[in-house]
Amino acid sequence: MKRFRPHALVLLTGAAFLAGAAAVAQTSAPAQPAPAQSQAADETKVLARVDGEPITALDLEIAAQDLGDRLPAMAEAQRRDYLIGYVIDLKLGAKAARAAKVDAAPDFERRVAYYRDKVLLDEYLQKEVEKAVTPEAARALYDETVKNLKPEDEVRARHILLENEEDAKKVVARLEAGEDFAKVAGEVSKDPGSAKEGGDLGYFTKDRMVKEFADAAFALEPGKVSAPVKSQFGWHVIKVEDRRVKPLPTFEEVKEQVEAYLARKAQQDLILGLRKDAKIERLDKADSAKPGEKPAEPKKN
């Protein structure tokens, strides 16, 4: 099971993970876990010792989870060597800190208690995620979301961007005389992003473009070229190449986003449920009153 980090309590709408998902790169399937007995044996395997204190494979796994994105990308053998060195330094530093009585500081035990609570919560959330993020739940959410999505029209268009109407009219005349649109776009378009692609903007829905451009593009039939169109960016000459109903992303294309959504929802539901059932007192409210203001009276049940 993929390990999900706890998320802030922000919940996306059900359709949000589908937006633009067809462009998301595919990720490789996670490796299958080893049998429990073999995995337990691997975790307790001693890989190094520091002043007689063992460092196990499980220590490396915990360190890797803690480092997260800060762990450099490298081959497996190099990664293990890096993590062993990291844990060695960690244990040597901790031993030196104990000798220096760092753990005698007044707030030290409070900080240890905080991190213990954090680790406990992280593990509890992970267990809830493992229950919620199943192949069946992911597929059901995808199917339900796709069922409720309305079809959207798209056009594929090219454009040539000019600084003024006169230049745009000259471009229209060249095109009417039979010159190739992509060739002319590469020569004169002021849009650096699309000029090198022959003015090609790919497929887009109407809401992705400024109104003047979108209205003109969606009024054209495939193969037709517009009269000059003015927008906030300049003057456009537009050619529509194709029209279609926007295809929905496949389940495999959005699987990772669906699972992330389910994980966030499971975490949020758990935390909100815990809050609902707890007696929570905010004692800072009276202190937040401005000078001269009367503190807010507590609400009566």
Side-chain angles (χ1 to χ4, degrees), residues 273-287:
L274 293 174
R275 286 193 173 202
K276 181 181 178 182
D277 296 335
K279 180 182 179 182
I280 299 173
E281 298 178 84
R282 288 289 302 269
L283 306 180
D284 62 323
K285 295 301 184 181
D287 296 336

Side-chain angles (χ1 to χ4, degrees), residues 8 15 18 37 59 75 83 94-95 104 107 113 136 183 188 225 242 252 260 274 280 285 294:
L18 290 177
Q37 185 176 358
D59 293 325
L83 287 170
K95 183 178 180 181
D107 65 340
E136 296 78 14
K183 178 176 176 293
V188 304
V225 175
D242 189 26
E252 289 303 322
L274 293 174
I280 299 173
K285 295 301 184 181
K294 182 180 178 181

Side-chain angles (χ1 to χ4, degrees), residues 149-162:
L149 288 179
K150 294 181 180 179
E152 287 186 280
D153 290 331
E154 283 187 320
V155 298
R156 180 184 176 188
R158 298 178 185 270
H159 85 134
I160 300 171
L161 179 64
L162 292 310

